[in-house]
Amino acid sequence: MNDTIVAISTTIGISALSIVRLSGKDALEIAKSITKSTNFKPRYAHLKYIYNNNNNVIDRCIVIYFKAPYSFSGEDIIEFQSHGGVSVPKNIVNECIRLGARIANPGEFSKRALLNNKLDLSTAESISKLILSQSNQANEILGRLLKGDLKEFIETFRKNLIEILAHIEVLIDYAEEDLPKDLEISIDTKLNNAIKKLNDIHSHSLSMQHIIDGHRLVIIGRPNVGKSSLLNKLLLKDRAIISNIEGTTRDILEETITINNQIVKIIDTAGIRDSNDEIEKIGIQKTLQYTQDATIIIALFDGSREFDDQWILDILEQNKEKIIIAVINKNDRKQIFNQDKLKEYETIRISTLDSSVFKLRDIIEKKINQVSINTQEIILTSTRQIECIKLCIKSLNNAKENIYNFEIFSFYINEALHSLDMLTKPFNNNEMLDSMFSEFCLGK
Ligand SMILES: Nc1nc2c(ncn2[C@@H]2O[C@H](COP(=O)(O)OP(=O)(O)OP(=O)(O)O)[C@@H](O)[C@H]2O)c(=O)[nH]1
Ligand SMILES: [Mg+2]
């Protein structure tokens, strides 16, 4: 963290403006050197020429100096608001490097902000998701987290646990049979409420994951029913190989489309049948796995064949809580498929050879819109956060079972507090932080 880092924080391409960020102990000196000026008042917009090594002007831009520790990273930061395009911001970066800065790693500004206590871990994760978010709802949910709602919730929750610990300290002087009944009940109630609250956040987060990361729509069916043809038609491009040979798709194909401002990941799978082919068997296993993780299942049937799809109905039976749409394909041919078997599910007949697929798209849109979204509840945005909360719940449950054994009880409450701390506070595991921040984009 002793060196000075630089990166272009905006997308490289034709645009009116670009932002180059420089952070670290030499930031101000570098800025003075490439602007040939000494006068930088913190938090003021200065209009300056930028010079290269040959004394030629590269650009005229706004330069803002954020003096440490009052900056995003907690270090001295210089922000160059240059003209856009490719060469101007790149040249500014090159000049900074010539004067001693090095190019920043992805997420390195945020990592420094975290290590300088300018940002907590949960907010940093929200920012990274916010940058990737494509739907209005995701934007709203993540915006709340950006405000620090999760951090605030954790702090209050932490205080409550510490209060419980304090109560236990009082109880230590009592023999078990002399425990004041009301105190015991109050601790039990507090613990139950705490566990319930965390369980609610946990399940709400899982159910809202598709808003942040996109709905997962899986197409399942017997071989040859037209799954890959449907994928291509929904994508409006020839992505998957299609043939009348059964077992054409063996691996999972995943592509993303946007329906009504929401991300939908469409997953084409290997046809499900009894197969002796080892590779196909692995493909079928994967199909079952992907079906479990999906939020929407399209079960595809061939209308021009007799019903022979009991396997598919069994899978649907096991996934009843999901959005299921039964689609009978090849409607352009003579229909002999018995639709009665599907009466439990919303059913539509289509042909991937004509525009009826767009009616299916409308149904998908309607179903997505029906999913109720509560943007007011706090949610956890990463698997890491979910794991911390799961550990915390486990410790609290253990504490509850040991309410009469004060030492063990306080051990588990402390363990729960530690899991909460892991959610927001930096910890000494550089490798872990590096891998987390590497998922950020450059310049953030
Ligand atoms: N007549 C007709 N043929 C179709 C229709 N949809 C797909 N097909 C044909 O059905 C055959 C199988 O299509 P695919 O899309 O490869 O089927 P799949 O379900 O992906 O098959 P696997 O990958 O083997 O599981 C191809 O010959 C397609 O041209 C349709 O609506 N009408
Ligand atoms: Mg296929």
Side-chain angles (χ1 to χ4, degrees):
M1 288 238 300
N2 272 333
D3 48 3
T4 301
I5 53 173
V6 63
I8 303 172
S9 290
T10 41
T11 323
I12 299 172
I14 306 302
S15 64
L17 296 174
S18 274
I19 294 180
V20 174
R21 267 214 286 208
L22 182 64
S23 176
K25 65 176 175 35
D26 296 331
L28 183 60
E29 284 312 309
I30 293 174
K32 283 179 180 170
S33 187
I34 62 170
T35 55
K36 294 187 188 294
S37 62
T38 50
N39 168 25
F40 281 101
K41 200 171 166 189
R43 295 175 173 267
Y44 270 74
H46 304 91
L47 188 61
K48 302 276 184 196
Y49 287 105
I50 309 285
Y51 297 87
N52 68 9
N53 200 18
N54 303 323
N55 259 336
N56 293 325
V57 170
I58 308 173
D59 194 18
R60 188 175 66 159
C61 59
I62 298 285
V63 184
I64 305 175
Y65 169 41
F66 297 92
K67 190 172 163 51
Y70 307 109
S71 72
F72 173 72
S73 62
E75 304 174 322
D76 269 357
I77 282 192
I78 295 284
E79 232 176 65
F80 299 97
Q81 297 180 2
S82 72
H83 288 103
V86 179
S87 62
V88 171
K90 267 194 180 166
N91 283 335
I92 295 176
V93 166
N94 286 340
E95 286 309 307
C96 292
I97 292 173
R98 184 177 61 76
L99 291 162
R102 72 162 166 82
I103 197 88
N105 295 320
E108 201 171 1
F109 292 92
S110 302
K111 185 182 164 194
R112 288 183 175 205
L114 179 93
L115 295 175
N116 287 325
N117 285 326
K118 292 298 234 174
L119 200 63
D120 74 272
L121 216 47
S122 65
T123 313
E125 280 168 329
S126 309
I127 295 176
S128 111
K129 295 268 178 175
L130 188 70
I131 291 169
L132 299 175
S133 75
Q134 292 189 30
S135 79
N136 298 345
Q137 285 107 337
N139 197 164
E140 258 181 56
I141 294 171
L142 294 164
R144 282 199 65 203
L145 299 182
L146 200 62
K147 240 174 75 217
D149 283 13
L150 178 60
K151 190 175 167 226
E152 204 175 288
F153 164 78
I154 291 163
E155 273 163 15
T156 315
F157 198 88
R158 205 172 185 281
K159 272 191 200 137
N160 291 342
L161 289 189
I162 289 172
E163 218 175 278
I164 295 177
L165 262 187
H167 277 149
I168 274 295
E169 292 295 323
V170 175
L171 295 181
I172 280 175
D173 295 333
Y174 287 85
E176 190 182 309
E177 59 279 10
D178 299 334
L179 275 180
K181 205 65 199 160
D182 54 340
L183 201 54
E184 185 198 325
I185 292 170
S186 135
I187 291 179
D188 199 54
T189 314
K190 278 189 173 144
L191 269 184
N192 279 336
N193 289 343
I195 292 168
K196 181 174 181 314
K197 184 73 200 163
L198 291 190
N199 273 327
D200 287 350
I201 290 183
H202 179 235
S203 53
H204 178 66
S205 303
L206 291 183
S207 67
M208 289 291 106
Q209 216 62 42
H210 55 268
I211 303 292
I212 310 283
D213 296 329
H215 293 268
R216 296 179 70 76
L217 182 155
V218 67
I219 308 172
I220 61 167
R222 283 177 49 76
N224 233 11
V225 292
K227 298 180 294 302
S228 301
S229 308
L230 177 59
L231 170 81
N232 287 351
K233 196 81 182 186
L234 286 169
L235 293 176
L236 301 173
K237 68 177 180 189
D238 282 343
R239 167 68 178 83
I241 300 172
I242 291 166
S243 87
N244 59 5
I245 302 164
E246 295 203 346
T248 300
T249 308
R250 291 170 158 220
D251 208 347
I252 302 288
L253 291 176
E254 201 172 317
E255 287 287 329
T256 301
I257 59 168
T258 308
I259 297 183
N260 193 21
N261 254 337
Q262 300 219 41
I263 308 164
V264 181
K265 287 182 184 153
I266 307 180
I267 298 148
D268 176 25
T269 60
I272 297 176
R273 64 169 170 177
D274 215 353
S275 168
N276 287 327
D277 182 310
E278 280 307 313
I279 296 173
E280 203 179 341
K281 270 196 210 164
I282 298 169
I284 294 170
Q285 271 312 316
K286 276 197 186 175
T287 300
L288 299 176
Q289 180 60 49
Y290 273 73
T291 308
Q292 270 179 17
D293 296 341
T295 43
I296 307 166
I297 302 173
I298 288 192
L300 199 61
F301 304 91
D302 183 341
S304 65
R305 288 179 55 158
E306 296 276 1
F307 175 85
D308 184 17
D309 306 77
Q310 193 51 47
W311 275 39
I312 307 300
L313 292 193
D314 292 346
I315 294 173
L316 297 186
E317 190 63 35
Q318 288 159 24
N319 287 282
K320 279 216 152 131
E321 76 289 357
K322 302 196 163 138
I323 298 172
I324 295 175
I325 309 169
V327 181
I328 304 167
N329 189 29
K330 308 198 184 179
N331 202 22
D332 53 289
R333 289 188 182 162
K334 185 174 178 316
Q335 298 294 286
I336 52 171
F337 182 87
N338 182 1
Q339 191 171 338
D340 288 351
K341 302 272 183 192
L342 306 177
K343 47 180 181 291
E344 273 189 67
Y345 306 103
E346 172 149 7
T347 306
I348 174 175
R349 284 186 186 264
I350 62 157
S351 163
T352 63
L353 306 183
D354 62 36
S355 61
S356 53
V357 171
F358 299 113
K359 282 193 197 134
L360 171 61
R361 200 188 142 106
D362 290 344
I363 294 179
I364 299 170
E365 181 172 342
K366 187 184 84 192
K367 296 273 181 195
I368 288 175
N369 289 341
Q370 281 168 359
V371 176
S372 69
I373 296 157
N374 180 354
T375 53
Q376 293 313 306
E377 268 290 336
I378 285 170
I379 76 154
L380 308 163
T381 51
S382 70
T383 318
R384 192 196 67 80
Q385 292 179 359
I386 289 175
E387 283 311 309
C388 290
I389 287 293
K390 268 166 58 182
L391 283 176
C392 187
I393 296 173
K394 193 171 159 210
S395 308
L396 292 180
N397 276 320
N398 284 335
K400 219 168 95 70
E401 278 169 24
N402 288 284
I403 207 154
Y404 296 114
N405 191 334
F406 303 135
E407 270 179 32
I408 298 184
F409 180 85
S410 61
F411 168 82
Y412 282 124
I413 296 287
N414 276 305
E415 201 178 62
L417 283 167
H418 178 69
S419 305
L420 281 184
D421 286 348
M422 297 278 280
L423 261 171
T424 53
K425 289 195 180 151
F427 41 91
N428 288 333
N429 187 340
N430 231 337
E431 218 173 287
M432 155 89 186
L433 286 182
D434 279 344
S435 99
M436 238 188 73
F437 282 103
S438 66
E439 287 171 22
F440 275 54
C441 50
L442 208 63
K444 185 62 220 172

